[in-house]
Amino acid sequence: MAILKMQRISIYALSRYSKDVLETLQRMGVIEIEKCNIEDSVFYQTDSTPLSTSFLRSASVMVQAQEIITEYAKEKKGLLSSLEGRTPLTVDEYEEIAQKNPEALRLAYKIISYKKKITENKAKIIAYNTRIDALTPWQNLDVVMDTGSTASSKFILGSFPEELCEEEIRLKVAEVSPETELFDVEVISKDSNQTCVFVVCYKGVYDELLSALRKIGLILPSATTPSNPDSEIKSLKSRIAKREELISECEKAIASHLNDLPLLRFFEDYYVMKAERYSQLDNISYSPHTFVMTGYIPKKDSEKVSKVLFERYGAEVELEDAEGEDVPVLLKNNAFAAPAEGVLLSYSAPSRFELDPTAIMAVFYYVFFGMMFSDAGYGLVMSLACGFALLKFKNMEAGLKRSIKMFFYCGISTTFWGLMFGSFFGDAVSVIFNTFIGQPAPVIPGITTPIWFNPTVGSGPTTLLMFSFLFGIIHLFAGLTLQAVNYIRQGNFIYAIYDDLSWILVVTGAVFALLSTDMLSGMMGGFKLSPVFLTIGGIMAGIGAVLILIFSGRESKNPLKRLLKGAYNLYGATSYLSDILSYSRLLALGLATGVVAGVFNQLGSMLGNSVVGVILFVIVFIIGHLLNIGINALGAYVHTNRLQFVEFFGKFYTGGGRDFKPYAVNTKHYNIKEDI
Amino acid sequence: MELGLFLALLGAALATFMAGIGSSIGVGKAGVAAAGVLAEEPSLFSKVLILMLLPATQGIYGLLVAFLILQGVGIIGGGAGEISNLEGLLYLAASLPIAASGLFSAIHQGKCSVAGIHTVAKKPDTMGKSLIIPAMVETYAILALLISILAINGIGALGI
């Protein structure tokens, strides 16, 4: 439970080591490099954008090659492969594979060129097919298509956009030009929307005939060939077959590189890392022989890093404790609380001047999640699934691992509350015994009977409601206490009394007073504090209210304004009321899980004790409970977050810190880590 | 003629279908937005799915209340006794909070979900915050659910 101490680090070394230093730092991943703004007559800065862009281009070549391979070859992937994370590599392994750089580039370009060939050939095939389509109507023509003329005859090829026979064409020509007679028409092919004809005529009537034919709708053919159409089509088809063979060869060649995918992935990462390294070069100041680099480093790592840098590169490292607003924030928590860091960071990183509330929040987080989900069966399912994933996939990404660990703990808490309330897949055990075994279920504490009480029957809901409010008040007080601690840490002890103790007094006093009246005793099952608590509560609330009235407006110099501000803040008591009532969701969502689970159990057992009945029960049980787990886990997650973000953080948390983002290996497939 | 059973059943029906209508509209709106985002960014599927499902809970709350009523009057679980007109009316009244609040809160929560989906599409790391905004609206459905549950629970204890 802490925000780690940060140090400012300045590294001085010889220029020729700058890239090696950057590479080492990248693998260590513990320094956030800051732009070094020394620029004068000695120091200058470089612009390596062109270089890093060219590396990014190489990386994208690798990506392209991978995409092409996976397009033509199926890669086997497990259902849960997204959990697997990056493959770890030691530095030696990394260096060894990095030797294959030229080979990988050649391979990538080869694969891309195969793809290009495929595209080109496909375009050609399309062109051939178009030509075949245009020539097919002329397939029956038994002479070459651009048959010229003989000594006394000429030829016309063309088509009409309708179905015509030879006589009809002759008739039509006679209508338009009665004198033209010396010609012969042969229909080559016809269908409902075109008729292709071959016309032979006496040279002398050629012009008249052509114009007459045009008038009746003759269109000259769009595609001609110097050879016989039939043989042309045949040769086109054989060319298509050849191209197709080429394509399938290329496809096979591409698919045969399936096993090279890891190599391509490696070099994608390789170039991405290189690009990142070069872009960091811009943050360094150079003199002719040396360079300076500055950044932030967690104090715990600084010793080791300086040692490594000195031993390997003779670098001089300067460290000083970092203070101030702009210093990035890195959290450190124990294994139990650390998984909840993600929740905190998704709200905001703590500012440098406050306590890291993760540890306290984590306890409430697990408890509240468990109360809302509250089913031993569901909790077990969740914990087992998360535990399995954690054991199976060791290399899981840190963020994902954190969330899964968090849900593992939430699952344990859910199981605990499920046993407390006697819910195991709802009332599944009782239903199974009553329906299929025909006798009442044996008493198994936690599974068939609640260890604490059943919140769904009798006075259960009201009891749980009261406890929800109690937990809520504890949660809110924890928030106020954290604010008090922050005040005290900053030396403002008195503020802790004004702003935090005052509210704790008001709320506790009000609760005491309420509990000693008749109003709530009905809901509390007759529980009532002795009347003396009414007085005690009244006094406590009174002292608290006076403190708020007088001191909460202390920033205003004008006494009247100060009192008015105090009064306004006192009116904030209503917000405490709504905050506490908001915790009723612990009850509502808890009941929702249990009752809906019960609905599914009842639905499943509707057909009674028969073969069909058992089958129905199994199906409804699996589908129904999975659905219920999904929707209620989502509800529990969202509303647990809400209780933390709105009710809890609202009491004390400033946030607004800058998350520590170290310069590190930021890759997709491989994780190269140098332990320090 | 005793109307009691009918009135209680009417209450159960109201709770189910009004909250159900609300959730359908809410999830429907969010679903349209989610599908749009997925066309551009398929990797955001799990995130937009969560946001999209937020308004689905009202329908479940309605179902829950309906179930409690059916159980209370003995339609489910057997032992359906005489339900007086007064008791029926009480059940009907108890169903109203979740029926009305479920209808409206789900619709408005759906709108917040749509906005959240748009936010996540532009900045996937704002997921935590985008989730909280629709959850604010749901508070009122939860309060209504609470009153409906407490009321139904109380009617049983009255022994009318």
Side-chain angles (χ1 to χ4, degrees):
Chain A
M1 170 184 151
I3 296 174
L4 284 183
K5 279 218 158 56
M6 284 283 164
Q7 289 192 312
R8 270 192 77 84
I9 183 169
S10 308
I11 301 168
Y12 311 93
L14 293 177
S15 291
R16 62 191 152 111
Y17 289 130
S18 65
K19 282 167 203 161
D20 297 330
V21 168
L22 274 174
E23 187 160 11
T24 311
L25 290 180
Q26 187 175 38
R27 286 183 199 147
M28 289 173 168
V30 290
I31 292 189
E32 183 176 302
I33 296 179
E34 219 190 15
K35 192 159 177 68
C36 184
N37 277 327
I38 315 174
E39 213 165 348
D40 51 29
S41 54
V42 183
F43 283 98
Y44 59 94
Q45 289 189 326
T46 56
D47 179 17
S48 52
T49 325
L51 273 171
S52 50
T53 334
S54 88
F55 290 133
L56 282 179
R57 212 176 301 131
S58 299
S60 83
V61 166
M62 296 295 168
V63 176
Q64 221 180 326
Q66 289 168 41
E67 278 168 1
I68 295 170
I69 293 182
T70 43
E71 191 184 331
Y72 293 103
K74 262 264 170 297
E75 193 186 10
K76 272 190 206 126
K77 259 191 179 172
L79 193 64
L80 298 172
S81 61
S82 57
L83 294 178
E84 267 165 20
R86 295 176 291 173
T87 318
L89 283 180
T90 65
V91 177
D92 292 337
E93 284 168 328
Y94 168 80
E95 298 289 358
E96 196 189 321
I97 307 178
Q99 300 295 323
K100 295 185 187 161
N101 189 2
E103 193 184 316
L105 268 177
R106 225 175 298 137
L107 176 70
Y109 281 118
K110 193 165 93 185
I111 287 164
I112 292 172
S113 77
Y114 279 139
K115 175 71 188 176
K116 229 184 233 164
K117 253 188 216 159
I118 292 178
T119 328
E120 277 166 13
N121 281 317
K122 277 191 174 158
K124 274 273 188 270
I125 289 178
I126 291 172
Y128 290 158
N129 275 326
T130 329
R131 193 160 161 75
I132 289 179
D133 285 345
L135 288 175
T136 308
W138 302 101
Q139 207 169 1
N140 292 332
L141 187 70
D142 40 17
V143 291
V144 292
M145 253 182 120
D146 58 351
T147 310
S149 49
T150 62
S152 54
S153 65
K154 274 200 150 184
F155 309 91
I156 301 168
L157 277 175
S159 60
F160 294 100
E162 55 191 323
E163 192 173 1
L164 295 170
C165 67
E166 284 154 23
E167 281 70 38
E168 282 170 323
I169 296 171
R170 291 199 80 93
L171 272 173
K172 283 193 168 201
V173 173
E175 273 171 28
V176 187
S177 159
E179 300 87 57
T180 320
E181 272 178 350
L182 294 169
F183 70 96
D184 191 36
V185 179
E186 190 186 334
V187 172
I188 306 295
S189 71
K190 63 178 173 182
D191 58 33
S192 56
N193 42 31
Q194 95 166 347
T195 310
C196 294
V197 293
F198 174 74
V199 183
V200 59
C201 68
Y202 174 60
K203 243 185 185 168
V205 298
Y206 176 78
D207 292 335
E208 288 165 47
L209 182 65
L210 188 61
S211 71
L213 286 171
R214 279 211 166 126
K215 260 184 211 152
I216 62 170
L218 182 89
I219 304 157
L220 296 182
S222 55
T224 59
T225 156
S227 62
N228 185 324
D230 189 40
S231 61
E232 169 80 5
I233 287 174
K234 274 189 190 128
S235 96
L236 282 171
K237 278 191 175 153
S238 78
R239 270 186 269 172
I240 288 177
K242 246 182 234 160
R243 299 274 179 181
E244 267 165 358
E245 212 171 287
L246 264 176
I247 289 178
S248 82
E249 264 169 36
C250 286
E251 284 178 354
K252 260 184 220 145
I254 291 176
S256 73
H257 287 297
L258 183 64
N259 293 334
D260 291 324
L261 271 179
L263 187 72
L264 295 171
R265 292 200 178 121
F266 175 88
F267 279 98
E268 178 196 339
D269 286 355
Y270 174 86
Y271 281 113
V272 167
M273 279 193 298
K274 219 165 172 177
E276 235 169 273
R277 218 149 55 219
Y278 273 77
S279 66
Q280 290 293 348
L281 280 180
D282 296 352
N283 294 331
I284 295 178
S285 282
Y286 287 95
S287 75
H289 299 291
T290 61
F291 73 91
V292 191
M293 187 161 86
T294 56
Y296 292 104
I297 183 168
K299 193 169 183 177
K300 67 180 173 66
D301 299 318
S302 56
E303 284 295 316
K304 285 177 239 162
V305 170
S306 351
K307 207 171 140 218
V308 169
L309 290 179
F310 178 73
E311 279 168 7
R312 288 195 198 164
Y313 310 110
E316 181 62 37
V317 175
E318 217 175 67
L319 295 163
E320 55 178 327
D321 286 347
E323 299 293 338
E325 283 283 350
D326 192 47
V327 180
V329 171
L330 181 65
L331 305 178
K332 166 86 183 152
N333 281 290
N334 58 28
F336 176 73
E341 278 173 11
V343 175
L344 185 80
L345 292 178
S346 80
Y347 183 81
S348 171
S351 86
R352 280 217 74 83
F353 307 108
E354 62 186 332
L355 272 179
D356 168 15
T358 312
I360 296 180
M361 189 195 77
V363 176
F364 285 107
Y365 198 94
Y366 299 145
V367 169
F368 288 164
F369 189 99
M371 282 183 81
M372 291 192 209
F373 205 22
S374 68
D375 185 285
Y378 295 175
L380 272 181
V381 168
M382 201 161 102
S383 282
L384 287 178
C386 292
F388 169 77
L390 286 173
L391 287 178
K392 177 97 199 283
F393 304 107
K394 298 262 187 233
N395 302 322
M396 208 188 290
E397 291 305 304
L400 189 62
K401 200 174 200 166
R402 195 161 61 184
S403 313
I404 290 188
K405 268 188 192 157
M406 188 180 86
F407 285 116
F408 176 76
Y409 287 123
C410 287
I412 292 179
S413 163
T414 305
T415 315
F416 169 79
W417 285 108
L419 295 174
M420 285 287 141
F421 298 143
S423 174
F424 183 81
F425 293 107
D427 51 355
V429 176
S430 309
V431 169
I432 291 171
F433 268 91
N434 288 330
T435 321
F436 301 110
I437 301 178
Q439 63 184 60
V443 173
I444 313 166
I447 308 255
T448 53
T449 53
I451 291 179
W452 189 15
F453 68 94
N454 186 341
T456 54
V457 295
S459 66
T462 28
T463 315
L464 186 54
L465 186 63
M466 289 304 138
F467 276 100
S468 298
F469 291 156
L470 178 66
F471 289 138
I473 292 171
I474 295 173
H475 196 210
L476 293 177
F477 282 3
L480 287 173
T481 312
L482 276 169
Q483 191 185 37
V485 173
N486 279 332
Y487 277 141
I488 293 167
R489 267 160 49 101
Q490 292 158 15
N492 295 323
F493 182 76
I494 200 77
Y495 286 5
I497 294 179
Y498 294 161
D499 285 355
D500 302 314
L501 186 67
S502 60
W503 279 113
I504 292 179
L505 283 173
V506 169
V507 174
T508 321
V511 171
F512 278 169
L514 273 176
L515 286 181
S516 54
T517 59
D518 289 330
M519 205 166 82
L520 280 180
S521 76
M523 288 180 83
M524 302 289 290
F527 174 81
K528 195 177 154 187
L529 288 174
S530 84
V532 70
F533 276 97
L534 183 61
T535 327
I536 298 175
I539 293 170
M540 285 170 77
I543 295 174
V546 169
L547 280 174
I548 293 164
L549 190 65
I550 299 176
F551 293 109
S552 69
R554 58 185 174 273
E555 278 131 40
S556 301
K557 289 270 181 288
N558 181 336
L560 183 66
K561 209 170 164 190
R562 179 169 162 163
L563 271 185
L564 283 176
K565 252 191 181 171
Y568 177 73
N569 284 333
L570 192 57
Y571 180 69
T574 52
S575 85
Y576 273 83
L577 186 66
S578 68
D579 281 349
I580 294 169
L581 287 179
S582 174
Y583 287 86
S584 61
R585 74 188 71 228
L586 293 176
L587 162 68
L589 289 169
L591 284 185
T593 318
V595 174
V596 175
V599 173
F600 285 122
N601 289 336
Q602 285 226 332
L603 282 180
S605 62
M606 267 186 334
L607 290 184
N609 190 8
S610 62
V611 178
V612 187
V614 172
I615 294 172
L616 178 81
F617 184 80
V618 172
I619 294 173
V620 172
F621 186 87
I622 293 174
I623 297 178
H625 286 294
L626 275 180
L627 195 77
N628 198 22
I629 287 179
I631 200 100
N632 277 299
L634 173 64
Y637 169 67
V638 169
H639 288 284
T640 312
N641 275 0
R642 181 221 143 102
L643 287 179
Q644 308 293 348
F645 289 1
V646 181
E647 275 75 18
F648 185 54
F649 287 171
K651 292 285 160 288
F652 70 98
Y653 195 56
T654 346
R658 191 162 65 84
D659 204 8
F660 179 64
K661 291 209 171 74
Y663 157 62
V665 174
N666 201 356
T667 50
K668 250 163 84 188
H669 312 289
Y670 292 94
N671 192 8
I672 299 102
K673 192 112 192 178
E674 186 160 347
D675 281 325
I676 52 164
Chain B
M1 192 180 85
E2 287 285 358
L3 273 176
L5 197 58
F6 168 75
L7 289 170
L9 205 56
L10 183 64
L14 270 177
T16 322
F17 83 74
M18 290 206 20
I21 290 173
S23 279
S24 319
I25 296 176
V27 178
K29 276 186 179 160
V32 173
V37 169
L38 288 183
E40 291 280 324
E41 287 283 344
S43 60
L44 290 176
F45 179 68
S46 58
K47 286 185 175 174
V48 295
L49 185 74
I50 289 176
L51 280 166
M52 183 190 142
L53 279 178
L54 286 178
T57 35
Q58 278 85 344
I60 299 204
Y61 298 157
L63 172 82
L64 201 161
V65 167
F67 189 79
L68 288 176
I69 293 177
L70 296 182
Q71 220 170 21
V73 298
I75 291 182
I76 297 181
E82 282 288 293
I83 304 292
S84 70
N85 285 350
L86 175 61
E87 200 176 351
L89 270 174
L90 287 176
Y91 277 117
L92 178 59
S95 76
L96 292 180
I98 190 59
S101 189
L103 174 63
F104 289 108
S105 73
I107 294 174
H108 290 285
Q109 195 179 6
K111 289 180 184 165
C112 293
S113 280
V114 169
I117 288 170
H118 289 161
T119 315
V120 167
K122 284 179 189 150
K123 288 187 180 168
D125 49 339
T126 54
M127 181 68 187
K129 286 162 200 155
S130 309
L131 214 55
I132 289 305
I133 294 169
M136 295 289 182
V137 185
E138 183 159 332
T139 303
Y140 304 99
I142 292 180
L143 295 180
L145 169 69
L146 194 71
I147 294 305
S148 285
I149 291 179
L150 291 178
I152 293 168
N153 205 269
I155 296 168
L158 284 177
I160 303 168

